[in-house]
Amino acid sequence: MQSFRTELENPVVEKDIIELEKKIRLFREGQIPEEKFRSLRLARGIYGQRQPGVQMIRIKLPYGKMTLEQWKRMSDVSDEYSTGNLHLTTRQDIQIHFVSLEKTPELWTKLDLDDITIREACGNTVRNITASDKAGIDPAEPFDITPYADAAFRYFLRNPVCQDMGRKFKIAFSSSDADTAWAFMHDIGVIPKIREINGQQVRGFKVMIGGGLGAQPYLAHIAYEFLEADQLIPYIETVLRVFDRNGERASRHKARMKFLIQKLGFEEFSRLVEEERLANKVKTFHVDADVWEEPELPAADAVLPAYTIKDPKKYEIWKATNAFRQKQADYYAAYVRVPLGNISSVISRQIIEGLKPAIGNDVRVTANQGLLLKYILPAHLPYVFSVLETAGFAEPGFDSVADITACPGTDTCNLAISSSTGIATALELVIQEEFPDLVYNKDIKIKISGCMNSCGQHGIAAIGFHGSSVKSGGKVLPALQVLLGGGIVGDGVGRVADKVIKVPSKRGPDVLRSLLNDYEANAQESEKFNDYYDRQGEKYFYDLLKPLTDLTTLQNDDFIDWGQGDKFATAIGVGECASVVIDLVATLLFEGEEKLQSSIVALESNQFADSIYHSYSTFIQTAKALLLGEGVNCNTQTGIINDFDKHFIETGKWPIDGGFKELVLQINQHEPSESFAKAYHKQAADFYQQAHALRQQPSAEVPAS
């Protein structure tokens, strides 16, 4: 692979890619345990598929932004290394599937040529930072949150405080009180606000914390009604430090931050966050939003190619449902419906080439798996439609009832129980053929996941489904859990959908027919679906759908999932949404040594806060290894610290003046200065060397500290 390294211009990325290549080789040679390698590759966006021997690559697009050049680059990469398909996700990423592991370093190199990364797109890291797709052009926004989302993305990428947490961490920026990025359902979600302070208009954010979807959805707490903008990144850093130290690591189902806050209580969690401030790398972080680089705009006198619109009536519906006037009064933006989030590389290049003269060079992947095109002159809207129409991507009704969100489900995901994409296609057909006027309805959102984990966001849908199974006569058939009543209220307030009833999957279209017919027949004038749901009550809808649960009328087809030819069987693999906890003493000591080396590198680069955190990680990993050698399992870093005092210090096995806790938690008692970074590194190095000596000579006494 020597030949492609010379193409890299970013030495940090080059180091990442060389390390990935080395680790793949060591893994293939049996020198790295599979569990450890899984953790490493996930943090580099490489995710195992349902199909053995191939990988899904997740490309991290901060707040969903991509230039036309980046879009083309990803298309070319998909052709060369994957299947020629781009899958747009609900986290505003792009995924490509069926990639050979050995090809991933080369693939990453090609992506980096246009400043595209896969780093920390998966694993126990800060995942892709999402944002309202309208940010920067939203007529309702107090200010453009894009520069702040971008700053957060860059600040936490490769940041030592969030490289190997107990679980993934999700951050979202909404552009206005409409909260279209769902701040209420994220580990940290923010909404822009402006307050007058001392006679000046000051930018800040309402900060929500501890929300989440998954099998157990939680609505976020309000951390701040107003936090000044230059305090946001330092606050997020303190939260990550608390989560890293106190978060669950043994049981991944209880490892998200929402469970930590539930366990500690919000008041105690907030106290711990405040305690971390002294150790922060920065106390304020100013984002100079006034010098934010605007996208390259289309020329006002651009000469467009000749075009024709095949379906003028469809254009008018598309313009009414997919286009809107930006806050920049001279321009429109237009949404593109991308069915199931899948668009081929061939069509992508066709659209890119056609749209170049007519749109701004800033395309956004939307959270419902579509695209947003920006800075379109009003006179160019018909041309933009014609380009999309020719490519087969000009369907109206973006984000309407007809625009269903679905995760990949059993197509590729290890965790999926039943098909998401097949049922989504069937439901869209029901709406198209039987309820065509609902293409204008943007109140009802339909979302589908292949399992309870809510990657398709069913937990906040007005009408949601997630994959499940039921038994009948000793045989298993695919099923759908029906959820109702979820959605956005606004300004950080949301609704979690109720689990109402479970039905065989093949009856999903009948569920939708029953719900929409009942709503049309009985809703009051202008009554929104969720208001109707509240008025009628959950029991009403349970009774409405109960006849569809009757298993005495099953047909052979009911035992075959959507889009499948064989009878249904639940075949759930090992999920990789978070890295696996490693309980191997040698591996833990190796990780401690790696952290120690990272501490040295950071010291040499005068990155004192980073060096301190790497030294802290050395203490933790090394202590965990020693405890494991004694048969003591710990599930949090705080537990490791306390248990080391109990099993080593208090028993006299390892004398440390003041104890291990006092030694390690110096990290909270000092500013991240050069002198402390050097002293703390030396203490961590001495501790590791003593542990290494003990491991090499189990019968030897531990040297005095």
Side-chain angles (χ1 to χ4, degrees):
M1 292 188 181
Q2 293 289 337
S3 59
F4 70 81
R5 287 181 190 159
T6 58
E7 300 176 23
L8 289 170
E9 297 180 1
N10 187 329
V12 176
V13 178
E14 181 178 23
K15 180 182 176 183
D16 266 350
I17 294 173
I18 291 171
E19 181 189 18
L20 175 60
E21 180 191 3
K22 176 184 174 183
K23 300 289 188 181
I24 291 172
R25 186 173 65 253
L26 291 174
F27 170 66
R28 292 302 194 198
E29 293 171 356
Q31 297 184 49
I32 298 180
E34 184 174 356
E35 294 86 353
K36 172 60 181 172
F37 182 71
R38 181 184 293 122
S39 170
L40 182 142
R41 65 171 166 76
L42 283 168
R44 285 146 185 84
I46 305 166
Y47 193 104
Q49 284 187 202
R50 194 179 189 92
Q51 297 81 3
V54 290
Q55 316 296 318
M56 175 270 281
I57 306 301
R58 182 175 291 150
I59 300 168
K60 195 173 187 179
L61 300 177
Y63 45 94
K65 178 185 177 181
M66 60 182 178
T67 64
L68 294 173
E69 293 78 15
Q70 288 174 325
W71 186 1
K72 183 178 183 301
R73 173 68 62 183
M74 289 182 282
S75 300
D76 293 345
V77 163
S78 182
D79 273 347
E80 187 172 357
Y81 300 97
S82 179
T83 60
N85 182 64
L86 301 177
H87 177 70
L88 317 182
T89 80
T90 57
R91 297 293 306 167
Q92 297 175 289
D93 298 299
I94 284 181
Q95 294 175 175
I96 60 177
H97 295 82
F98 300 96
V99 176
S100 164
L101 178 63
E102 275 70 20
K103 290 289 187 180
T104 53
E106 187 176 334
L107 177 153
W108 191 355
T109 303
K110 296 290 179 65
L111 290 174
D112 186 61
L113 295 176
D114 279 296
D115 194 26
I116 306 167
T117 191
I118 60 176
R119 174 83 192 213
E120 294 155 52
C122 307
N124 295 333
T125 60
V126 172
R127 295 292 187 85
N128 195 27
I129 292 178
T130 58
S132 300
D133 49 61
K134 285 185 180 180
I137 64 171
D138 186 352
E141 67 186 19
F143 56 87
D144 183 6
I145 54 86
T146 308
Y148 302 92
D150 189 80
F153 162 74
R154 299 187 187 282
Y155 187 86
F156 293 109
L157 189 69
R158 298 183 178 86
N159 194 312
V161 304
C162 52
Q163 291 306 295
D164 191 21
M165 300 179 291
R167 200 71 161 84
K168 58 190 174 185
F169 195 96
K170 296 181 178 180
I171 302 172
F173 285 72
S174 277
S175 61
S176 72
D177 285 357
D179 197 12
T180 53
W182 308 304
F184 61 90
M185 291 308 299
H186 283 78
D187 295 295
I188 289 183
V190 301
I191 301 170
K193 303 285 182 179
I194 291 180
R195 279 192 181 178
E196 184 173 313
I197 300 177
N198 298 325
Q200 293 187 327
Q201 296 294 302
V202 177
R203 290 181 175 186
F205 295 93
K206 182 175 185 177
V207 182
M208 313 295 296
I209 186 166
L213 287 173
Q216 299 181 58
Y218 279 79
L219 297 174
H221 300 264
I222 299 173
Y224 290 94
E225 286 288 354
F226 183 84
L227 180 67
E228 291 189 29
D230 63 1
Q231 290 296 309
L232 180 62
I233 284 177
Y235 175 72
I236 297 172
E237 182 178 342
T238 56
V239 169
L240 287 167
R241 286 171 171 269
V242 171
F243 180 53
D244 192 31
R245 185 168 304 135
N246 298 277
E248 170 71 38
R249 289 172 185 268
S251 173
R252 64 182 294 274
H253 297 292
K254 292 291 184 181
R256 291 297 297 274
M257 197 175 70
K258 60 189 178 183
F259 297 114
L260 177 61
I261 293 176
Q262 184 185 42
K263 175 184 173 182
L264 295 175
F266 188 65
E267 185 176 337
E268 173 62 10
F269 178 84
S270 300
R271 186 191 69 77
L272 292 173
V273 168
E274 188 64 32
E275 200 176 69
E276 289 289 328
R277 288 184 184 274
L278 183 64
N280 261 12
K281 184 185 299 187
V282 294
K283 302 302 182 289
T284 62
F285 192 97
H286 177 68
V287 176
D288 195 350
D290 294 331
V291 297
W292 179 248
E293 186 177 346
E294 293 294 335
E296 179 186 350
L297 302 184
D301 58 352
V303 178
L304 303 180
Y307 68 92
T308 58
I309 291 178
K310 301 171 188 173
D311 189 339
K313 182 179 178 182
K314 188 176 184 179
Y315 167 68
E316 293 301 327
I317 301 173
W318 176 88
K319 183 179 177 181
T321 60
N322 291 37
F324 64 93
R325 191 177 289 276
Q326 298 182 183
K327 75 176 185 181
Q328 297 84 359
D330 294 334
Y331 293 101
Y332 273 82
Y335 285 111
V336 182
R337 277 182 64 184
V338 180
L340 303 175
N342 293 318
I343 184 168
S344 77
S345 55
V346 173
I347 294 297
S348 290
R349 282 188 290 268
Q350 178 184 328
I351 291 175
I352 291 164
E353 193 60 32
L355 292 179
K356 267 184 182 178
I359 68 170
N361 195 12
D362 178 354
V363 177
R364 301 291 169 95
V365 176
T366 69
N368 69 338
Q369 303 172 295
L371 296 168
L372 175 62
L373 313 176
K374 302 161 67 176
Y375 293 97
I376 305 168
L377 292 167
H380 292 173
L381 270 176
Y383 170 76
V384 169
F385 174 82
S386 75
V387 171
L388 297 173
E389 184 181 43
T390 301
F393 279 83
E395 286 304 308
F398 179 87
D399 204 31
S400 70
V401 184
D403 191 6
I404 295 175
T405 300
C407 73
T410 50
D411 290 357
T412 55
C413 180
N414 271 325
L415 289 175
I417 299 171
S418 64
S419 172
S420 304
T421 57
I423 180 62
T425 301
L427 296 182
E428 286 192 347
L429 190 62
V430 168
I431 295 163
Q432 178 184 326
E433 293 182 349
E434 302 175 34
F435 303 91
D437 289 345
L438 289 182
V439 75
Y440 296 99
N441 183 310
K442 297 196 176 186
D443 168 44
I444 302 173
K445 312 296 184 193
I446 302 176
K447 299 176 183 288
I448 305 169
S449 302
C451 71
M452 65 183 66
N453 285 320
S454 209
C455 295
Q457 304 167 337
H458 65 265
I460 51 172
I463 300 174
F465 301 91
H466 80 67
S468 187
S469 62
V470 294
K471 284 187 176 181
S472 176
K475 295 188 291 186
V476 180
L477 66 151
L480 293 169
Q481 174 67 57
V482 182
L483 300 95
L484 300 174
I488 302 169
V489 176
D491 196 24
V493 179
R495 296 168 55 112
V496 174
D498 295 327
K499 291 184 177 181
V500 176
I501 202 165
K502 186 189 293 187
V503 302
S505 287
K506 286 297 177 71
R507 296 176 184 176
D510 288 330
V511 168
L512 186 59
R513 288 187 186 94
S514 297
L515 291 171
L516 294 180
N517 283 327
D518 179 79
Y519 175 57
E520 286 189 351
N522 299 313
Q524 297 172 357
E525 185 177 355
S526 300
E527 186 175 30
K528 293 187 175 182
F529 181 85
N530 279 349
D531 293 331
Y532 177 64
Y533 174 75
D534 290 343
R535 180 165 65 84
Q536 297 285 35
E538 181 181 341
K539 179 64 164 54
Y540 173 87
F541 288 92
Y542 175 86
D543 291 339
L544 175 70
L545 300 176
K546 186 68 169 65
L548 297 176
T549 67
D550 182 6
L551 301 183
T552 63
T553 58
L554 291 173
Q555 306 294 316
N556 288 336
D557 188 55
D558 290 314
F559 291 89
I560 301 173
D561 205 0
W562 293 99
Q564 305 299 314
D566 299 324
K567 288 198 173 181
F568 177 75
T570 53
I572 305 170
V574 177
E576 295 196 335
C577 293
S579 58
V580 176
V581 177
I582 311 302
D583 284 333
L584 301 171
V585 175
T587 301
L588 289 168
L589 284 173
F590 175 71
E591 288 178 354
E593 183 180 22
E594 284 191 327
K595 299 295 185 185
L596 200 58
Q597 292 303 313
S598 297
S599 175
I600 294 172
V601 172
L603 266 178
E604 291 172 346
S605 303
N606 295 324
Q607 297 173 329
F608 303 125
D610 288 356
S611 174
I612 290 165
Y613 210 84
H614 286 308
S615 296
Y616 164 78
S617 298
T618 298
F619 278 122
I620 295 299
Q621 295 297 90
T622 305
K624 183 176 181 181
L626 293 171
L627 285 165
L628 189 63
E630 296 285 307
V632 179
N633 282 297
C634 307
N635 61 353
T636 67
Q637 291 181 353
T638 301
I640 291 168
I641 293 169
N642 291 333
D643 279 346
F644 195 86
D645 272 333
K646 178 181 177 182
H647 292 278
F648 282 88
I649 307 302
E650 293 173 13
T651 60
K653 291 181 180 179
W654 195 296
I656 296 178
D657 291 340
F660 186 64
K661 183 175 184 177
E662 184 176 315
L663 173 65
V664 175
L665 293 187
Q666 289 179 93
I667 191 173
N668 287 339
Q669 309 304 317
H670 295 81
E671 296 274 356
S673 64
E674 179 179 4
S675 59
F676 176 63
K678 288 181 175 178
Y680 197 58
H681 169 78
K682 185 179 185 306
Q683 290 169 326
D686 289 345
F687 183 74
Y688 172 78
Q689 292 302 331
Q690 292 176 22
H692 184 68
L694 179 64
R695 174 71 175 167
Q696 295 299 108
Q697 302 174 16
S699 61
E701 291 186 5
V702 178
S705 298

